[in-house]
Amino acid sequence: MKKPKNYKWQKNDGTGTMSRHLRSEHGLGPEGEEGSSGGGQAQLHGYASDMPGAGMPFIYNRDRMISELEYGLRKKVIALDTPTRWNSTYKLLHNAVAHRDVLTDMYNESRATDGQFITNDHWSLAKIVHDVLETFDNATHIFSYVYEPNIHMVILECIKIICTIKQTSLANPGAAVKRLLDNMKVKWCAYFAEFPPIYAIAAILDPGVKLEGLTNLLTFYYQQLDVQFDVPYYVNNCKRILERLCEDYGAVIQPQPVGSSM
């Protein structure tokens, strides 16, 4: 890695010396006082704690630390959008909204000749979409659990998503927002107009939901979705599937009498 110019390490240099140099010569780190939680010294201690030799002063490579702080952490890559994946759109907007001032200046300077500028209205729309997709992104993280049961949570999380879309549409009656959210709902219905029975069965087996709870959840879900759906028929069908599964397993696995030896 490239070493910052005009600086030589001295034998007894510590993180205080290092942080002062980074701030004065390279513009890195906050303007906090030494020893404070926001100071450069505290930042460096936090950085060093993740490196080999943490806790033993300067076993780690200090030149490499400065290089990574200066040439690594300054770099920021905006995620690319993939139209068919809402998570990628969320990640793009999440980074874009956080750096809106830089992106606005950079874009508007490049379009100075044709007058196609980014305005506050564009950012307001981006923030609305970002907040809707944040609910979706949170749900996908829950669905990605490996070591915890999650299949019984699918219907409930889907209700949160569709409620967020509907509430956002009601709170923002503008034509651009309405058109965008209507398109999102159409795409959503292509996948979740009807849940696979496995999700409903998992909800039935959840002690906090059961048959009655599933009926109430689905009734509310389709009301929010503004879709006609025969909830009682669907729930009864899932109940019959579960009963057949119990019969099949009961024919194979005989319960052991209480007190019998294995």
Side-chain angles (χ1 to χ4, degrees), residues 69-86:
L69 283 167
E70 180 169 13
Y71 302 107
L73 299 186
R74 274 187 166 182
K75 297 177 182 178
K76 188 67 178 179
V77 178
I78 301 298
L80 298 179
D81 188 16
T82 304
T84 57
R85 294 181 64 86
W86 287 2

Side-chain angles (χ1 to χ4, degrees), residues 42-231:
Q43 271 198 330
L44 289 168
H45 279 297
Y47 178 86
S49 66
D50 294 327
M51 300 185 69
M56 294 175 284
F58 302 108
I59 290 179
Y60 45 80
N61 188 317
R62 291 171 292 183
D63 290 345
R64 178 178 178 181
M65 183 191 294
I66 278 202
S67 296
E68 289 188 5
L69 283 167
E70 180 169 13
Y71 302 107
L73 299 186
R74 274 187 166 182
K75 297 177 182 178
K76 188 67 178 179
V77 178
I78 301 298
L80 298 179
D81 188 16
T82 304
T84 57
R85 294 181 64 86
W86 287 2
N87 296 85
S88 67
T89 304
Y90 168 74
K91 289 179 172 61
L92 179 146
L93 291 174
H94 188 71
N95 285 334
V97 169
H99 298 84
R100 59 176 291 177
D101 293 337
V102 174
L103 293 174
T104 299
D105 291 343
M106 184 173 63
Y107 182 86
N108 288 351
E109 286 178 8
S110 70
R111 304 301 294 268
T113 56
D114 57 18
Q116 299 293 322
F117 299 134
I118 295 179
T119 67
N120 288 334
D121 289 341
H122 293 124
W123 285 116
S124 296
L125 180 60
K127 186 65 168 62
I128 290 171
V129 178
H130 168 274
D131 292 347
V132 171
L133 292 180
E134 187 170 38
T135 306
F136 178 83
D137 191 68
N138 291 338
T140 57
H141 283 294
I142 292 174
F143 299 160
S144 299
Y145 288 166
V146 175
Y147 299 108
E148 297 179 29
N150 56 15
I151 194 170
H152 65 290
M153 303 171 66
V154 170
I155 294 177
L156 181 59
E157 292 301 319
C158 287
I159 289 174
K160 292 180 183 178
I161 294 167
I162 203 61
C163 282
T164 300
I165 292 175
K166 185 169 184 177
Q167 291 168 4
T168 303
S169 181
L170 293 174
N172 300 274
V177 176
K178 185 178 185 306
R179 182 170 61 252
L180 188 149
L181 295 177
D182 285 347
N183 288 337
M184 289 181 67
K185 194 165 75 169
V186 169
K187 185 174 289 187
W188 178 266
C189 287
Y191 294 93
F192 293 104
E194 181 175 340
F195 292 103
I198 186 64
Y199 297 143
I201 291 172
I204 293 172
L205 295 175
D206 183 344
V209 180
K210 301 184 180 180
L211 273 171
E212 183 179 356
L214 175 63
T215 302
N216 294 335
L217 286 174
L218 292 176
T219 300
F220 180 75
Y221 173 76
Y222 287 107
Q223 287 174 350
Q224 299 301 303
L225 203 58
D226 297 320
V227 170
Q228 295 294 324
F229 188 79
D230 192 342
V231 173

Side-chain angles (χ1 to χ4, degrees), residues 15-16 18-20 22-23 28-47 69:
T15 51
M18 189 190 309
S19 63
R20 285 190 292 273
L22 287 172
R23 187 168 59 244
L28 298 174
E31 292 294 336
E33 296 182 3
E34 300 303 337
S36 69
S37 60
Q41 187 174 9
Q43 271 198 330
L44 289 168
H45 279 297
Y47 178 86
L69 283 167

